Amino acid sequence: MDKINLKDLTLEELQDYIINLGEPKFRALQIYKWIYSGVRNFEEMTNISKTLRDKLKSNTTIGNLAINKKFISTLDGTRRYLIQLSDNNYIESVLMKYKHGYSICISSQVGCAMGCKFCASTKNGKIRNLSAGEIIDQIITVERDVGERISNVVMMGVGEPLDNFDNIVKFIKNVNNPNGLNIGQRHITISTCGIVERIYELADLNFQITLAISLHATNDETRNDIMPVNKKYNILKLLEACKYYVNKTGRRITFEYTLINQKNDYTQNAEELSNLLKGILCHVNLIPVNSVYGTGFVPGSERNIREFQNILEKNGIPATVRREMGSDISAACGQLRSQI
């Protein structure tokens, strides 16, 4: 029988588990605090009896991940990690340092089933979901490596988060728990290509996270071509779900828009995007496409990118151009794992 990864459990689930072991409920909180303080084995839990530690060793694991490779940018200090899971699958995490502190981009799945043409993560399809513990352990593993606290989490790494919905919800609860990593929900961003029914479910949970929508096109014909998910959830359905999310949570949505030269970066596209988003509490993050081998996609000129941004802002849509980080270490999602 497989051992239980303690990081897969919420505090409430851990309490139930400890009670079922015949131990007092308060032990669960002690254990919970230990696993999120970064301990790597049960012997470090010094206020837990040896009897309980032995029970835990026999039936559970703390679920440590292993850093297989690490690259550090000489341009801006961005760190790119290839992380090995217990079943010898691989995921990626990227650590970025800003004036306000460290932000980490983490993965939600091994591979991805969404098939977006501009993304390296989809090349070999989806292998499996990450557990809640494997998701949060990326943060703990990288914090241990740098010896610093991470204050912002972006789930834009390998995988489609809302295709792993239950584990994402459990992750949010654990990462936000004051006895866990204690990262505020407003410091957490979840990115999705647009699984509509899950956006409604997420809205109803009323988390105060930031939802980022990978839009990347202004009409169904173009989006169908570069994002197969649009054939099931077209732009109209997606934007209706986004409006519901904003109304339910009061949170501003970020729309991610990857600019691909002579594909979706014309001035007409900027005008169309302005019309689509009019009246939605939102912000647009413009992303010059990464030149991933085999896609044929390249970014447009700096001038065209700025013109696109100016049209949005002229039409009352706040927009910024994402600053490229870690360009000398190919820090974009999926580029490292695809080389294995």
Side-chain angles (χ1 to χ4, degrees):
M1 186 176 69
D2 290 339
K3 291 185 176 182
I4 296 169
N5 180 354
L6 292 178
K7 293 183 185 126
D8 285 343
L9 306 180
T10 63
L11 178 56
E12 293 73 23
E13 289 171 336
L14 183 56
Q15 287 170 338
D16 290 341
Y17 180 74
I18 292 301
I19 290 170
N20 287 335
L21 288 180
E23 298 285 342
K25 180 179 178 180
F26 75 89
R27 292 295 184 197
L29 181 57
Q30 292 176 317
I31 295 165
Y32 193 83
K33 288 179 177 178
W34 277 119
I35 61 178
Y36 290 108
S37 72
V39 300
R40 306 201 71 176
N41 61 72
F42 294 107
E43 298 309 317
E44 295 179 67
M45 299 182 179
T46 53
N47 60 349
I48 305 297
S49 70
K50 185 178 184 304
T51 301
L52 178 51
R53 292 202 304 266
D54 288 343
K55 289 180 184 178
L56 293 173
K57 278 189 281 188
S58 297
N59 300 291
T60 72
T61 175
I62 302 176
N64 300 308
L65 303 181
I67 296 173
N68 181 274
K69 293 179 182 178
K70 176 176 67 176
F71 300 89
I72 304 176
S73 170
T74 58
L75 300 176
D76 52 39
T78 295
R79 293 179 178 228
R80 187 168 67 118
Y81 296 88
L82 182 67
I83 293 178
Q84 188 170 357
L85 306 175
S86 59
D87 62 358
N88 294 322
N89 276 304
Y90 293 89
I91 54 174
E92 295 177 46
S93 305
V94 178
L95 184 72
M96 299 152 287
K97 189 171 185 179
Y98 297 97
K99 291 180 181 178
H100 59 261
Y102 281 105
S103 292
I104 188 170
C105 180
I106 59 175
S107 298
S108 57
Q109 296 177 316
V110 181
C112 184
M114 296 298 109
C116 300
K117 288 186 178 179
F118 50 82
C119 182
S121 297
T122 68
K123 283 192 172 181
N124 296 313
K126 173 186 168 183
I127 296 173
R128 68 171 177 86
N129 287 329
L130 295 183
S131 72
E134 289 172 324
I135 297 169
I136 204 166
D137 221 356
Q138 294 170 72
I139 304 171
I140 296 168
T141 299
V142 173
E143 280 189 335
R144 183 186 300 119
D145 182 64
V146 296
E148 299 278 355
R149 173 175 165 77
I150 294 171
S151 55
N152 291 275
V153 179
V154 181
M155 194 170 288
M156 292 183 183
V158 178
E160 163 52 53
L162 298 193
D163 188 38
N164 187 14
F165 189 80
D166 291 341
N167 286 324
I168 295 306
V169 169
K170 190 177 287 190
F171 159 78
I172 293 170
K173 291 178 179 178
N174 279 339
V175 79
N176 181 232
N177 192 303
N179 296 297
L181 291 187
N182 194 27
I183 297 175
Q185 288 186 7
R186 296 191 178 206
H187 295 270
I188 301 167
T189 298
I190 304 294
S191 177
T192 176
C193 66
I195 301 180
V196 165
E197 65 266 26
R198 296 303 195 187
I199 294 174
Y200 284 105
E201 288 183 58
L202 190 63
D204 288 339
L205 290 171
N206 205 24
F207 289 140
Q208 291 299 290
I209 63 168
T210 296
L211 180 65
I213 302 293
S214 295
L215 189 59
H216 309 311
T218 58
N219 57 74
D220 286 328
E221 181 181 2
T222 302
R223 200 165 191 264
N224 285 344
D225 180 43
I226 63 176
M227 299 182 71
V229 70
N230 196 72
K231 295 172 185 177
K232 184 173 183 179
Y233 309 107
N234 65 26
I235 291 176
L236 180 60
K237 291 178 182 177
L238 176 57
L239 292 182
E240 285 301 313
C242 290
K243 292 173 185 176
Y244 180 86
Y245 185 90
V246 170
N247 290 335
K248 190 77 174 180
T249 66
R251 298 286 292 159
R252 182 178 73 167
I253 284 182
T254 295
F255 286 98
E256 307 281 342
Y257 193 96
T258 294
L259 290 161
I260 305 169
N261 188 44
Q262 296 185 346
K263 183 74 173 178
N264 66 353
D265 66 341
Y266 296 104
T267 56
Q268 178 185 346
N269 296 131
E271 295 288 355
E272 290 171 348
L273 185 58
S274 300
N275 290 330
L276 283 174
L277 302 184
K278 186 176 181 181
I280 301 176
L281 180 62
C282 69
H283 170 267
V284 175
N285 194 8
L286 298 172
I287 309 164
V289 70
N290 290 298
S291 299
V292 176
Y293 178 78
T295 66
F297 295 150
V298 294
S301 67
E302 177 74 16
R303 179 180 177 181
N304 287 350
I305 292 169
R306 292 300 174 187
E307 185 177 9
F308 199 102
Q309 179 188 19
N310 290 337
I311 291 171
L312 291 176
E313 292 182 336
K314 180 191 69 178
N315 288 314
I317 307 295
T320 53
V321 178
R322 178 184 291 178
R323 178 164 67 95
E324 186 177 24
M325 299 186 72
S327 59
D328 58 328
I329 56 169
S330 299
C333 155
Q335 288 186 329
L336 181 57
R337 181 176 162 271
S338 64
Q339 298 168 15
I340 300 172

